[in-house]
Amino acid sequence: MKRFLMSLSMLAGVAVIAVAPLHAETAKSGTADILVKSTASWNGKPYAPYASGTPELTVLKLTIAPKAALPWHKHPYPNAGYVLEGALTIQDKESGVHKTFHAGEAFTESVDDAHRGVAGDEKTVVLLVYAGIKGQPTSVPLPGQQKEY
């Protein structure tokens, strides 16, 4: 009888644990901080309508050595970045305009404008989110330049 009561007690405990997650459904919603929301890139150029095709999202973490400059390139579709570590200066090739973003700052990248990123004095780590089209590259190097990543 003692074994039966012990087994029954353990079974009741398992039942309580199995039901417990149901209470999680009544929890409050999360909170969100909008880091960047824009209809234009960091240099003020408005985004054009999307091309047709199957949407493809790409999220990547890009690490750049201290004081290194990425090759000149263009992006065919909108994307946004968030600096996790260090600082990133984005340079527009045609106009020479540049802007620096530090750890904790978000930015929107230019579309079809030749540009590059340059790391600061420390390693720079950037989280990038591309809203592209399936089968199309997220970054296109200028002639004679290496790939960005």
Side-chain angles (χ1 to χ4, degrees):
M1 182 68 161
K2 190 174 181 180
R3 282 180 108 178
F4 174 74
L5 289 175
M6 186 181 280
S7 296
L8 188 58
S9 175
M10 287 174 56
L11 184 59
V14 169
V16 168
I17 291 170
V19 173
L22 296 177
H23 297 290
E25 293 178 30
T26 60
K28 287 184 179 180
S29 296
T31 58
D33 295 324
I34 295 175
L35 301 175
V36 67
K37 183 176 185 177
S38 182
T39 57
S41 65
W42 69 273
N43 61 2
K45 183 178 177 183
Y47 291 133
Y50 275 98
S52 61
T54 302
E56 181 175 67
L57 296 177
T58 303
V59 179
L60 60 93
K61 185 171 80 170
L62 181 64
T63 302
I64 309 167
K67 299 182 182 181
L70 296 173
W72 293 103
H73 61 278
K74 294 181 178 185
H75 299 290
Y77 302 104
N79 69 87
Y82 181 80
V83 182
L84 296 169
E85 294 179 41
L88 180 71
T89 299
I90 301 176
Q91 300 173 333
D92 184 89
K93 185 170 176 56
E94 185 176 317
S95 69
V97 172
H98 64 277
K99 185 170 181 178
T100 301
F101 299 91
H102 299 91
E105 293 183 314
F107 57 91
T108 53
E109 282 216 62
S110 53
V111 175
D112 292 327
D113 285 341
H115 66 283
R116 69 178 180 179
V118 180
D121 293 335
E122 302 173 353
K123 170 181 80 171
T124 298
V125 180
V126 182
L127 183 67
L128 297 167
V129 180
Y130 294 89
I133 301 294
K134 187 175 181 179
Q136 299 297 315
T138 56
S139 181
V140 179
L142 293 187
Q145 296 284 300
Q146 295 179 347
K147 288 185 171 186
E148 178 185 16
Y149 44 80

